[in-house]
Each structure stands twice: as structure tokens, then as C-alpha cells.
């Protein structure tokens, strides 16, 4: 009788062990769980060939203190080689990388390279002290009042939440404080102009787009910037210049949305609107 039941008992045990991984493998399910449970997400981004990734997985994460504090997060483990868009979105340049995100996918912070136990505990504690991303970023800004990156990230958060006045202020601060960080400054200036196109006096948007185009003549978003410049020129009644700008960039537009906005604006001006 004992021999008869041993194999069955073994199968049940192994099935239970391998079905209960503390780390999920779907970022989308991670976002859903984070929203539902009002938690932040920690993402272990690894590669199969990465030796340090194995050290992190087998030695650092199982540490009792680390394991305990990470229970307060939704945990996801992803092979970075299979998610190039994720690497690009969060500027992941190597492995391992530990990403901290909120339920909307907003970037909180990250640890690049082989993280120590102290690294993970320190970052995790700082995040868990705050109820949400806005609170976390504001706390970080108080620690580093001249950080253009934090101003920029607050701007993105407010823009996403349609708090346009707050977004405008944060992007403006990011532009002013960027100094030698040219890429960040360009991104902040672009988003500042976009906010002004949506919210606030259109004259302000016209001025902002013109400044952007004059400051960044080789920007990869030059065509998009010219589109919005032309649209805002139309809005303030400068139809002659608006037509010139929009006709110039019309052949260069690639997305259907941009083409539609351009054609609609040109059509309205032709009809006297």
C-alpha cells in the first residue's frame, strides 16, 4: 500500500512547488494587480546569459529581509531580450536591472547592475513610505530641489492626469534647470509646448513652438513640432503663415492622426474658418 501511494504523493508535492512562483511573468497582469491592490511594481529584468542575474535571483532576492520587503510590491520577472520596447521605454542599458513602477506603468526609479541587499532595502523603504508616485516624487524633489529629471517626471504624471497647470509648471522648471542635459531639456521643452497647445492661451503655445524649432533645428520631432506650430498659428488667426507651415510638412507626416489634423486644418482655412 505504501508503494502504491508514494508516486501520487510525489506528483502532488512537485506540482504545488512549481506552480506557486512568487514572481509573475506578465507585466500586464502586474499592472492590473498593482491597481487593484494599490501597490507599486518591482520588475526584475534579466537575461539568460547574465551571470549577475543568477546571483540576484538565487542569493539576493531570497535573503529574508529582502524577500519580506518585496512582499509589499507586485513582483514581475521578465527576460529583457524578449521585451525590446520595455527596454527602450525605461532606458534599460544592461542586466540585471530592477525597475520600480506604479500601476499605470509610470517610472518610479531603478537599480542598474548587481544590486546589493542594502540597495534594494533602501530604495524599497523610500518608495513604501509614500502612498503614490506623486508623493514619492515630491519627497525626492525636496531632497534634490534642482533635479530637472524629477520636475520632468512630475510633469509627465500631471499631464497624464490632465492637471495641465501643474504639468506646465513642472516642465518649465525642467527646462530651466536642465543646463547641460540637452536631451532632457529638449524633451521638457517639447512637452511644455504640447501642454500649452492643449491648455492656456494659444499665443503662448505659438511662442513656445517657435522657440522649440529655433532651439532644436535638428530635432527628431521637428516635423511633429512644425505640425503643432502650424495648428496653433491657425488658432490665433495667423492663417497665411499657418498654411505655409502645414503645406511644407504635409508630405512628411507618417501617422494617420497627424495627416488628418493637418488636412482638416488646411480644409478649414480654405473655407474661411
Amino acid at each position: 500500500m505504501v508503494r502504491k501511494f508514494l508516486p501520487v504523493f510525489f506528483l502532488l508535492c512537485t506540482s504545488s512547488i512549481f506552480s506557486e512562483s512568487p514572481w509573475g511573468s506578465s507585466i500586464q497582469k502586474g499592472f492590473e494587480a498593482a491597481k487593484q491592490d494599490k501597490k507599486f511594481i518591482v520588475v526584475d529584468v534579466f537575461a539568460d546569459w547574465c551571470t549577475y542575474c543568477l546571483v540576484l535571483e538565487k542569493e539576493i532576492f531570497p535573503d529574508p529581509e529582502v524577500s519580506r520587503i518585496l512582499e509589499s510590491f507586485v513582483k514581475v520577472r521578465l527576460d529583457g531580450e524578449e521585451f525590446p520596447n520595455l527596454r527602450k521605454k525605461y532606458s534599460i542599458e544592461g542586466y540585471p536591472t530592477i525597475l520600480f513602477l506604479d500601476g499605470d506603468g509610470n517610472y518610479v526609479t531603478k537599480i542598474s547592475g548587481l544590486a546589493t541587499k542594502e540597495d534594494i532595502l533602501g530604495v524599497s523603504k523610500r518608495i513604501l513610505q509614500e502612498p503614490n508616485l506623486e508623493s514619492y516624487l515630491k519627497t525626492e524633489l525636496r531632497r534634490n530641489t534642482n533635479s530637472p529629471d524629477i520636475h520632468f517626471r512630475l510633469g509627465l504624471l500631471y499631464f497624464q492626469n490632465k492637471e495641465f497647470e501643474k504639468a506646465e509648471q513642472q516642465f518649465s522648471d525642467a527646462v530651466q534647470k536642465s543646463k547641460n542635459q540637452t536631451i532632457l531639456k529638449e524633451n521638457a521643452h517639447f512637452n511644455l509646448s504640447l501642454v500649452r497647445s492643449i491648455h492656456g492661451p494659444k499665443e503662448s503655445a505659438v511662442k513656445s513652438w517657435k522657440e522649440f524649432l529655433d532651439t532644436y533645428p535638428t530635432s527628431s520631432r521637428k516635423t511633429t513640432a512644425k505640425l503643432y506650430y502650424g495648428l496653433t498659428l491657425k488658432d490665433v488667426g495667423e492663417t497665411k503663415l499657418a498654411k505655409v507651415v502645414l503645406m511644407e510638412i504635409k508630405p512628411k507626416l507618417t501617422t494617420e492622426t497627424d495627416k488628418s489634423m493637418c488636412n482638416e486644418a488646411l480644409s478649414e482655412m480654405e473655407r474661411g474658418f
Side-chain angles (χ1 to χ4, degrees):
M1 290 293 292
V2 173
R3 290 181 181 179
K4 182 178 180 181
F5 285 103
L6 275 176
V8 177
F9 178 73
F10 177 74
L11 286 173
L12 289 173
C13 283
T14 53
S15 173
S16 174
I17 289 171
F18 288 107
S19 65
E20 295 181 4
S21 171
W23 294 79
S25 58
S26 167
I27 191 65
Q28 188 57 46
K29 289 182 179 179
F31 290 147
E32 293 170 1
K35 283 185 179 180
Q36 180 178 329
D37 299 338
K38 296 181 179 180
K39 289 184 175 182
F40 289 95
I41 303 173
V42 59
V43 186
D44 172 26
V45 187
F46 71 95
D48 284 338
W49 46 262
C50 169
T51 303
Y52 285 151
C53 296
L54 286 175
V55 174
L56 191 62
E57 179 186 355
K58 303 298 183 183
E59 297 181 22
I60 307 297
F61 285 140
D63 178 272
E65 286 186 77
V66 173
S67 180
R68 191 179 308 115
I69 200 165
L70 291 184
E71 287 302 318
S72 298
F73 294 83
V74 173
K75 295 181 290 184
V76 178
R77 177 171 285 132
L78 299 176
D79 185 337
E81 300 294 273
E82 297 179 4
F83 295 89
N85 290 337
L86 179 132
R87 297 202 316 268
K88 182 178 179 181
K89 180 176 181 179
Y90 298 112
S91 301
I92 296 172
E93 299 177 350
Y95 307 107
T97 294
I98 304 175
L99 273 179
F100 294 87
L101 311 172
D102 71 2
D104 293 312
N106 294 311
Y107 173 78
V108 180
T109 190
K110 66 184 175 185
I111 305 174
S112 301
L114 179 57
T116 66
K117 169 183 174 179
E118 289 71 24
D119 291 334
I120 298 172
L121 292 177
V123 171
S124 298
K125 287 176 182 176
R126 280 164 51 199
I127 293 173
L128 294 174
Q129 285 174 351
E130 310 296 343
N132 53 47
L133 180 56
E134 180 186 8
S135 179
Y136 170 81
L137 290 174
K138 283 183 173 180
T139 297
E140 292 297 295
L141 192 59
R142 285 192 291 272
R143 293 175 176 171
N144 187 359
T145 56
N146 292 316
S147 170
D149 177 66
I150 299 175
H151 282 296
F152 181 76
R153 288 161 60 194
L154 271 169
L156 290 177
L157 181 64
Y158 289 137
F159 186 82
Q160 177 181 290
N161 294 339
K162 298 183 179 180
E163 298 180 70
F164 297 120
E165 290 184 8
K166 291 182 179 180
E168 181 177 358
Q169 182 60 59
Q170 294 301 326
F171 286 136
S172 180
D173 287 342
V175 170
Q176 293 173 12
K177 296 179 180 181
S178 292
K179 296 183 180 179
N180 297 326
Q181 299 184 47
T182 54
I183 295 176
L184 178 61
K185 189 170 186 176
E186 179 184 335
N187 290 336
H189 198 156
F190 184 92
N191 286 337
L192 174 62
S193 304
L194 191 59
V195 169
R196 287 173 174 168
S197 293
I198 298 171
H199 174 81
K202 296 301 180 183
E203 292 79 6
S204 176
V206 169
K207 180 181 178 182
S208 192
W209 284 120
K210 188 173 187 311
E211 288 177 349
F212 179 87
L213 290 166
D214 289 342
T215 306
Y216 306 101
T218 60
S219 171
S220 61
R221 288 176 291 185
K222 181 179 178 180
T223 300
T224 304
K226 278 195 171 184
L227 171 62
Y228 283 107
Y229 178 47
L231 294 175
T232 52
L233 283 168
K234 170 185 172 293
D235 289 339
V236 299
E238 295 187 38
T239 55
K240 185 176 180 180
L241 181 54
K243 286 181 182 178
V244 171
V245 172
L246 293 176
M247 288 300 295
E248 177 195 345
I249 55 96
K250 182 179 177 180
K252 302 175 184 178
L253 300 175
T254 56
T255 70
E256 292 305 316
T257 300
D258 287 352
K259 291 177 183 178
S260 177
M261 287 193 295
C262 183
N263 289 332
E264 184 178 347
L266 287 169
S267 176
E268 287 179 353
M269 285 187 286
E270 286 296 323
R271 291 182 282 126
F273 291 102

